[in-house]
Amino acid sequence: MKKVSQRTSEIIQSLYASGGFWSALLPGQESPLWAFEEIAKSVETAAIPHLASLLLDPRQDVREAAARTVGALVAALAVEDYAQLDQTTRNEWAYESTATSNWRRLRPSDVRRFWQLPSSAATLGLISFHGSGFVREAAVNELANLCDGSELPFLLLRLNDWDGTVRESAAVAVLHRIRPDYARHFFRNLWLIDRLKNCGRSQHMPLVGSILALLKEPDAVGLLPEGIASRDRWLRRQSYRLGELSEDG
């Protein structure tokens, strides 16, 4: 992910600024909601962590606008950007400040209310990057209730969480998804699956092996031409390899 541009950074800062500063910066604007549209149009995915605390704003219209913006930016992520987003979010919110205080005080019991916001998968996914293991576990448990594939990259990341309870919750959720109707979603997140081979917090290979076995089944082989036709050299190579293993099997 590229760093946030100066323009987008200024817009984000203005969202956290006092009303007086906001009015001076943007005369004639009664609401900051247009700023979220600007951030979404920028497609600067590095802006996602900066929006986290705005999901907890006391104003409902601001919370909803922030959630929609997070959803739009998460949809623009490349699969290999999710891990970096996880790291960046924790770095951005590691220290107490006026902007981070609400986010840092988030409790596990608060997580369920994020279903009330738009783009719930993206917002719950962002919460799964929280500094508190209890909050991350609550987010994983809520993500497990989604079954459209949007939750999968966040669950795959938490398989290597430094908290064992979070890892176990994520593993249960992923295991329940190793079925033919989820093959497409696993294929789209192949980079995150392959990444687990080099992650050392748990024994991932049995789970990775089960996912790869799913992708080698006859019903899933039809996905491989999509990868072979990709401009991504890594994905092309992996797709060829899966095809060869499928034929050998």
Side-chain angles (χ1 to χ4, degrees):
M1 293 187 298
K2 294 181 179 179
K3 291 183 178 180
V4 175
S5 67
Q6 182 175 348
R7 168 62 177 165
T8 298
S9 179
E10 290 172 353
I11 293 174
I12 292 169
Q13 290 176 34
S14 68
L15 285 168
Y16 286 104
S18 65
F21 178 82
W22 177 264
S23 299
L25 181 66
L26 302 164
Q29 294 290 340
E30 297 179 356
S31 169
L33 299 186
W34 76 273
F36 290 105
E37 296 178 5
E38 289 293 312
I39 296 170
K41 288 178 183 177
S42 75
V43 200
E44 294 181 27
T45 55
I48 295 171
H50 302 282
L51 300 171
S53 197
L54 293 166
L55 296 170
L56 302 164
D57 193 275
R59 295 163 291 180
Q60 182 176 347
D61 56 351
V62 172
R63 293 196 303 273
E64 292 180 351
R68 283 192 295 271
T69 305
V70 169
L73 295 178
V74 166
L77 283 170
V79 65
E80 59 268 25
D81 288 336
Y82 278 89
Q84 184 180 348
L85 178 63
D86 182 16
Q87 182 68 47
T88 301
T89 301
R90 285 186 279 113
N91 290 344
E92 291 288 346
W93 298 98
Y95 303 100
E96 185 76 34
S97 70
T98 302
T100 66
S101 57
N102 287 341
W103 174 257
R104 288 172 59 85
R105 288 199 298 267
L106 189 67
R107 298 171 300 179
S109 58
D110 296 327
V111 174
R112 185 168 296 178
R113 67 179 182 173
F114 284 86
W115 286 109
Q116 301 169 13
L117 295 176
S119 306
S120 52
T123 55
L124 288 168
L126 182 54
I127 294 167
S128 74
F129 301 156
H130 196 276
S132 164
F134 296 111
V135 172
R136 292 196 307 279
E137 182 186 6
V140 166
N141 290 335
E142 296 300 328
L143 284 165
N145 293 321
L146 285 161
C147 293
D148 62 3
S150 59
E151 79 288 358
L152 188 56
F154 301 107
L155 294 176
L156 290 170
L157 282 174
R158 297 277 64 83
L159 286 173
N160 198 54
D161 196 278
W162 54 97
D163 185 306
T165 304
V166 179
R167 291 198 302 272
E168 291 172 9
S169 296
V172 169
V174 172
L175 279 169
H176 286 165
R177 286 160 172 76
I178 302 178
R179 55 184 197 250
D181 62 306
Y182 250 72
R184 175 170 295 276
H185 302 309
F186 280 114
F187 183 71
R188 289 176 175 171
N189 290 283
L190 192 56
W191 190 92
L192 290 173
I193 296 164
D194 189 71
R195 171 180 175 269
L196 289 168
K197 297 176 182 178
N198 299 314
C199 294
R201 289 197 175 98
S202 188
Q203 296 297 320
H204 299 300
M205 289 313 298
L207 186 57
V208 170
S210 296
I211 296 171
L212 294 179
L214 172 66
L215 295 178
K216 288 182 284 186
E217 290 182 3
D219 290 343
V221 170
L223 299 170
L224 300 182
E226 177 184 331
I228 292 171
S230 172
R231 294 181 179 180
D232 185 324
R233 181 181 299 177
W234 181 89
L235 183 57
R236 288 201 307 271
R237 185 170 62 249
Q238 294 297 317
S239 298
Y240 275 119
R241 184 166 179 270
L242 281 171
E244 292 171 354
L245 292 173
S246 178
E247 292 174 1
D248 293 342

